[in-house]
């Protein structure tokens, strides 16, 4: 590891070790020149390969001729932002610091700056950090209406950081936090860094889109059902460690009672309902398109169902509003019954009433006639009985 370049009077040392630190003396004739070699060694846990939300441990070790200087350590992340680490221990020979939880955006080259006043030291040590994770928000919420088409997407940064080492994962779905999960698909990365997916569930209506960006896990719901709501969790596994990202799906449906055209003068109840709890700043709102402010009705906080009684046909819309952002809308067209239909209904009602009245009269007449025949038969029976009892005979001469 040591070589001397005489023409330059230089000593070359390759693959420095901590034990190489110390005082080096150069003798040339009667001249002697001494120089002090100070060596730093920087190591990072897990060889610099991390999953999202993991906390790296950084160890800085120094060696030199005694006494060892008191060091000040400054860290800068891959975006050149200063990071304040948590110093776990320091004894001048070894400094152990813990970084904060890593995110996918922290992948890249970090810099450790080492400072000392005596002796004067200003040393910058670069080191690589790779963070495999999701570029989605921590807890993403998606909204959909019944019978619509929806694609749920998880974006990985494996291509961005050129992560070609093997990892596996799976995508699970469950309707509630406490419910049993159902595995929809599992996936792994090939030697070329490409994702390979396998569909697992046969009881759930979903598809794996063919065309999609690289390093993206996608699930397509071609026709959303109300019971498709719940948590969709995508989980990565690397060397026995896990990281996951959740998407909460909230589904909206609208129903009418009674169903059908709205006749003039009648009322109809429209019900708008969502499948899960809403954020504190979210609410439901009914309105009639091109209507007035009187046709607007908003839900109270934490309400997941909103009903509105209407007497006017037209296009009615239920909106899910979060803050000032309208997330989804469900349009329901209420048809107005035709005029002739109203006349038919009125005629049928009047005709039905007359028919009932006629049937009632017929029943009364039939009942009266039956009662008279019964009384006449009773009187004839009494007369026959009277003749038999008196044994009356009539003789003709």
């Amino acid at each position: 590891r040591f070589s001397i370049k005489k023409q330059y009077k230089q000593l070359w040392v390759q693959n420095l070790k901590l034990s190489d630190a110390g005082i080096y003396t150069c003798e040339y004739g009667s001249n002697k020149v001494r120089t002090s070699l100070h060596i730093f060694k920087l190591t990072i846990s897990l060889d610099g390969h991390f999953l999202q939300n993991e906390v790296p441990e950084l160890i800085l070790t120094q060696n030199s001729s005694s006494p060892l200087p008191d060091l000040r350590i400054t860290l800068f992340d891959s975006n050149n932002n200063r990071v304040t680490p948590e110093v776990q221990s320091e004894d001048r020979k070894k400094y152990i610091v813990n970084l904060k939880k890593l995110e996918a955006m922290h992948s890249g080259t970090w810099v450790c700056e080492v400072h000392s006043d005596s002796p004067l030291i200003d040393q910058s040590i670069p080191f690589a950090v790779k963070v495999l994770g999701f570029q989605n928000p921590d807890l993403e919420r998606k909204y959909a209406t019944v019978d619509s088409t929806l694609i749920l997407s998880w974006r990985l940064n494996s291509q961005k950081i050129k992560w070609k080492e093997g990892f596996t994962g799976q995508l699970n779905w469950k309707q509630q936090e406490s419910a049993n999960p159902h595995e929809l698909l599992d996936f792994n990365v090939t030697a070329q860094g490409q994702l390979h997916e396998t569909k697992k569930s046969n009881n759930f209506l979903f598809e794996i889109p063919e065309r999609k960006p690289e390093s993206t896990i996608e699930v397509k719901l071609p026709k959303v059902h109300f019971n498709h709501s719940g948590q969709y969790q995508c989980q990565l596994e690397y060397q026995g460690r896990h990281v996951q990202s959740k998407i909460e799906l909230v589904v909206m449906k609208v129903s009418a009672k009674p169903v059908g055209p709205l006749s003039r003068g009648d009322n109809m109840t429209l019900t708008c309902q969502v499948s899960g709890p809403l954020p504190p700043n979210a609410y439901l709102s009914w309105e009639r398109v091109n209507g007035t402010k009187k046709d607007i009705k908003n839900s109270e906080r934490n309400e997941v169902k909103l009903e509105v009684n209407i007497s006017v046909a037209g296009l009615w819309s239920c909106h899910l509003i979060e803050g000032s952002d309208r997330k989804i809308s469900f349009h329901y067209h209420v048809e107005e019954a035709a005029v002739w239909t109203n006349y038919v209904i009125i005629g049928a009602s009047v005709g039905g009433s007359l028919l009932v009245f006629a049937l009632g009269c017929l029943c009364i007449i039939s009942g009266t006639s039956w009662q008279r025949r019964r009384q006449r038969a009773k009187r004839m029976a009494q007369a026959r009985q009277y003749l038999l009892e008196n044994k009356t005979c009539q003789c003709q001469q």
Side-chain angles (χ1 to χ4, degrees), residues 159-260:
Q159 286 287 337
K160 183 178 179 181
I161 63 177
K162 297 181 180 179
W163 188 303
K164 294 186 178 181
E165 299 182 39
F167 65 86
T168 61
Q170 60 184 14
L171 176 62
N172 300 322
W173 165 75
K174 54 184 178 180
Q175 284 194 294
Q176 298 177 352
E177 182 69 29
S178 59
N180 294 325
H182 301 277
E183 185 177 355
L184 301 185
L185 61 88
D186 59 12
F187 55 90
N188 55 52
V189 65
T190 63
Q192 292 76 26
Q194 302 296 322
L195 283 171
H196 176 71
E197 300 163 328
T198 304
K199 187 174 180 179
K200 301 290 290 185
S201 175
N202 295 321
N203 300 323
F204 192 86
L205 183 60
F206 77 99
E207 301 174 3
I208 302 176
E210 295 181 0
R211 294 184 179 181
K212 54 189 172 183
E214 294 181 345
S215 298
T216 302
I217 308 297
E218 287 186 349
V219 165
K220 179 180 179 181
L221 303 178
K223 190 174 183 179
V224 176
H225 296 168
F226 194 70
N227 59 358
H228 285 169
S229 63
Q231 292 185 357
Y232 293 78
Q233 177 176 285
C234 190
Q235 184 181 79
L236 286 174
E237 180 179 350
Y238 177 70
Q239 294 184 349
R241 293 132 53 201
H242 299 83
V243 62
Q244 57 273 338
S245 175
K246 294 181 180 179
I247 293 180
E248 182 80 19
L249 176 60
V250 179
V251 181
M252 173 190 286
K253 68 177 180 180
V254 168
S255 59
K257 187 177 181 180
V259 179

Side-chain angles (χ1 to χ4, degrees), residues 125-145:
I125 308 174
F127 60 98
V129 174
K130 290 187 176 183
V131 185
L132 179 63
F134 301 92
Q135 300 180 60
N136 299 54
D138 290 338
L139 180 57
E140 194 172 359
R141 184 177 284 106
K142 291 285 187 179
Y143 299 101
T145 57

Side-chain angles (χ1 to χ4, degrees), residues 279-283 320-327:
N281 62 336
Y283 61 95
L320 195 156
I321 302 174
E322 186 175 343
S324 58
D325 187 15
R326 184 180 292 179
K327 293 297 183 179

Side-chain angles (χ1 to χ4, degrees), residues 261-364:
L262 180 61
S263 301
R264 190 172 299 175
D266 289 344
N267 292 327
M268 177 184 291
T269 300
L270 299 179
T271 302
C272 181
Q273 184 177 357
V274 291
S275 57
L278 297 176
N281 62 336
Y283 61 95
L284 299 174
S285 177
W286 269 113
E287 71 167 351
R288 183 167 66 93
V289 179
N290 298 327
T292 64
K293 291 184 178 180
K294 295 181 179 180
D295 298 324
I296 298 177
K297 182 179 181 181
N298 298 330
S299 67
E300 300 293 335
R301 182 176 295 183
N302 298 326
E303 282 187 346
V304 296
K305 180 189 292 186
L306 178 63
E307 294 183 349
V308 60
N309 294 320
I310 65 171
S311 58
V312 180
L315 184 62
W316 290 80
S317 297
C318 179
H319 309 293
L320 195 156
I321 302 174
E322 186 175 343
S324 58
D325 187 15
R326 184 180 292 179
K327 293 297 183 179
I328 51 172
S329 298
F330 199 115
H331 306 292
Y332 191 89
H333 183 67
V334 179
E335 296 183 357
E336 183 177 5
V339 176
W340 66 270
T341 305
N342 292 331
Y343 290 155
V344 169
I345 295 174
I346 294 173
S349 300
V350 174
S353 300
L354 293 176
L355 180 62
V356 170
F357 178 76
L359 290 175
C361 293
L362 182 61
C363 290
I364 293 174

Side-chain angles (χ1 to χ4, degrees), residues 2-128:
F2 296 86
S3 61
I4 298 177
K5 295 186 177 181
K6 294 183 179 181
Q7 64 272 32
Y8 302 110
K9 300 180 177 61
Q10 291 179 343
L11 173 66
W12 284 69
V13 184
Q14 298 178 347
N15 298 324
L16 285 172
K17 300 179 180 179
L18 284 173
S19 58
D20 294 331
I23 297 177
Y24 288 76
T25 303
C26 178
E27 296 183 0
Y28 186 76
S30 59
N31 298 320
K32 292 184 179 180
V33 179
R34 293 185 177 183
T35 183
S36 177
L37 177 60
H38 195 120
I39 296 179
F40 297 101
K41 180 182 179 181
L42 183 67
T43 58
I44 186 169
S45 58
L46 300 175
D47 196 28
H49 289 71
F50 301 97
L51 295 179
Q52 195 172 359
N53 295 326
E54 290 186 330
V55 179
E57 184 182 73
L58 203 64
I59 301 177
L60 178 67
T61 308
Q62 65 170 334
N63 191 15
S64 67
S65 56
S66 58
L68 293 173
D70 188 11
L71 303 179
R72 299 189 307 275
I73 299 175
T74 307
L75 293 177
F76 295 89
D77 63 16
S78 58
N79 299 312
N80 203 29
N81 297 320
R82 184 168 179 171
V83 178
T84 304
E86 178 185 349
V87 179
Q88 185 175 358
S89 65
E90 53 178 310
D91 59 1
R92 290 200 176 185
K93 184 177 181 180
K94 181 185 293 186
Y95 293 77
I96 302 177
V97 296
N98 291 326
L99 305 182
K100 295 181 179 179
K101 289 184 178 181
L102 296 176
E103 299 295 335
M105 62 180 181
H106 290 148
S107 294
T109 301
W110 290 49
V111 175
C112 176
E113 292 188 353
V114 181
H115 308 277
S116 173
D117 295 329
S118 179
L120 183 60
I121 298 175
D122 283 299
Q123 184 72 32
S124 295
I125 308 174
F127 60 98

